[in-house]
Amino acid sequence: MNICFEIDTNNNILSGLSYTFKIMEMIESCEEEEFTIDCSKTKFVSPAFVLPLMILVKGSNKNISFTNLTSYLSTIHFGNGFCADNIRIQEFRAIMEEYKRKTYIPIINFPAIEIKDDLKNNILSAIENLLVKQTNIEKNIAIGLKYVIDEYVDNITQHSKSERGYIFAQAYPTKHYMDICIGDNGITLLGSYHNNGNENIKTDLDAMNAANNGISTKNLPNAENRGYGIFTSKKMLIDGLNGDFVMISGHSMYIYNSIIDKFLDLPKNISCPGTIVLFRIPYINTDFNYINYVE
Amino acid sequence: MNNSIDITAILGQELKSRSYVSDFALYIKNLNMKDVKVDFSKVTYATRSFIDEYYNIFIKNHNTLENNIHVENINISSDIQAIFNAVSNTQNGESKKRSSQNASVVSFTNVDDLNNFLSTLNM
């Protein structure tokens, strides 16, 4: 079955997700097994569309492919991402230089397993440095940006059981913000709690609530002091930078900014096979100091 | 014998991953020294997760690693010290500040209703 949508996401960070949900609903509610998503009619697509769709497609039991990629979608390596560990880190840095004058990075497909932490961190540092160069942001914001990215990526390694992680970013210089999406194909938040012996958390919504209230998935004697990484990142993003935060895992979603604080129980035919986070990071607060938000 | 260890020479200037801490502890143990000074002067950045793990392995037990290796941390910048302080202040199961305890839950049975709801949110 061929699926062709006209995709034109607007400034609302949730707009891209709506298109993704619509496409996945169509696929999952159909009895056919083979699908081709025709991308020829995509106009403006945001990270909130691109990476969630890629991850949901990868996690689907259906056989789904993409065709007629636009120039932009090809450039960002839509489909599988740029596999950064198949080349030397120096070569990766050199390739990233090509993006220095652009407002986006390609979708980076990075190793998420602990044994490859060195490589993963080198890749992330190269990405973070590139984002700083692209946006010319001040050092105070740059450290906050690094902090938010690094805490979430380390969470993928620590909790998701996913071998791969993905990151994609697009800056909007005239609006002075950037959208960053990070995701994995792992065991979801609920799976992570269960994997660590926490059976009190029974649903995706329970898990989403627990993760965003600082309850660690690690069932360890010292685990009470875990769970602050996400808490601190959100505080930095929302209270410090006036940004937006969205998290999706399994059948649940969480939306948080200075005026919205909502958990969503998603329709049964929409399920995220791992965990996806979306950040909108404004980069104009010259008074921001990340250390004020570390708790 | 100089017992000062530049942590960045082993782990790099950016301390990002929890897993690095156990690697560093193994390195220290294999030095076969009873007193070690860990020099943070060249650290440019550390995540809270890294510092939390470091605190648990290197500091929590009276700055003593396995085999009674005493560790002194030196030249910690004010930013990194602030993260150490935050980690220290949240030990012993103290209650956490939770950002989303009053958040409401909205349930959806179909994508059209979900998307209509999302379109009403100002983000």
Side-chain angles (χ1 to χ4, degrees), chain B residues 12-114:
Chain B
Q13 290 184 295
E14 297 190 342
L15 307 176
K16 295 186 175 195
S17 297
R18 281 185 185 270
S19 65
Y20 282 6
V21 179
S22 53
D23 298 339
F24 190 60
L26 178 63
Y27 178 86
I28 298 289
K29 286 174 200 165
N30 286 338
L31 291 175
N32 289 321
M33 295 195 294
K34 285 295 174 193
D35 289 285
V36 175
K37 289 180 181 173
V38 178
D39 186 350
F40 279 75
S41 60
K42 294 179 184 169
V43 174
T44 56
Y45 163 81
T47 62
R48 192 191 190 285
S49 295
F50 175 90
I51 297 295
D52 180 52
E53 196 76 8
Y54 188 91
Y55 186 93
N56 277 308
I57 292 181
F58 281 82
I59 296 177
K60 203 171 188 177
N61 190 22
H62 307 288
N63 289 337
T64 305
L65 271 176
E66 291 171 36
N67 305 335
N68 284 326
I69 302 168
H70 182 260
V71 177
E72 183 184 354
N73 301 299
I74 60 172
N75 299 324
I76 299 176
S77 70
S78 57
D79 277 9
I80 304 293
Q81 185 59 52
I83 304 177
F84 271 116
N85 293 344
V87 167
S88 172
N89 290 337
T90 52
Q91 296 294 309
N92 305 320
E94 291 166 25
S95 63
K96 295 172 185 173
K97 290 185 178 178
R98 297 178 175 180
S99 59
S100 305
Q101 283 185 312
N102 298 319
S104 58
V105 177
V106 191
S107 296
F108 298 92
T109 55
N110 66 72
V111 166
D112 285 342
D113 287 349
L114 169 64

Side-chain angles (χ1 to χ4, degrees), chain A residues 36-169:
Chain A
T36 301
I37 300 174
D38 182 344
C39 300
S40 60
K41 290 189 177 174
T42 59
K43 292 179 179 172
F44 179 78
V45 288
S46 63
F49 168 75
V50 168
L51 201 51
L53 180 61
M54 215 178 92
I55 288 175
L56 265 63
V57 162
K58 279 177 177 289
S60 172
N61 293 324
K62 306 284 176 90
N63 188 6
I64 308 167
S65 60
F66 298 104
T67 188
N68 293 327
L69 296 187
T70 61
S71 167
Y72 175 76
L73 289 173
S74 296
T75 305
I76 63 171
H77 295 258
F78 181 63
N80 196 40
F82 183 97
C83 200
D85 46 346
N86 289 341
I87 56 175
R88 289 172 290 107
I89 188 66
Q90 291 83 355
E91 189 180 356
F92 177 69
R93 289 193 190 109
I95 291 169
M96 288 301 101
E97 275 297 295
E98 180 192 334
Y99 291 85
K100 198 168 66 179
R101 289 180 188 80
K102 299 186 188 298
T103 56
Y104 57 85
I105 62 169
I107 299 165
I108 303 296
N109 175 338
F110 59 86
I113 54 177
E114 199 169 90
I115 199 168
K116 293 196 173 179
D117 262 356
D118 277 353
L119 178 59
K120 178 190 76 181
N121 287 335
N122 281 332
I123 291 167
L124 284 178
S125 291
I127 294 168
E128 289 156 2
N129 291 338
L130 175 63
L131 290 172
V132 170
K133 282 182 192 170
Q134 284 179 337
T135 51
N136 199 26
I137 55 179
E138 299 292 332
K139 190 182 174 191
N140 61 331
I141 309 276
I143 294 179
L145 171 72
K146 285 167 68 71
Y147 194 100
V148 169
I149 292 174
D150 293 337
E151 287 289 357
Y152 276 95
V153 171
D154 203 37
N155 266 302
I156 294 176
T157 300
Q158 292 283 318
H159 304 294
S160 78
K161 303 286 180 195
S162 178
E163 291 192 0
R164 311 297 304 178
Y166 306 89
I167 181 169
F168 178 49

Side-chain angles (χ1 to χ4, degrees), chain A residues 179-193:
Chain A
D179 286 351
I180 297 179
C181 188
I182 300 171
D184 66 72
N185 296 105
I187 57 175
T188 72
L189 296 171
L190 180 62
S192 182
Y193 281 106

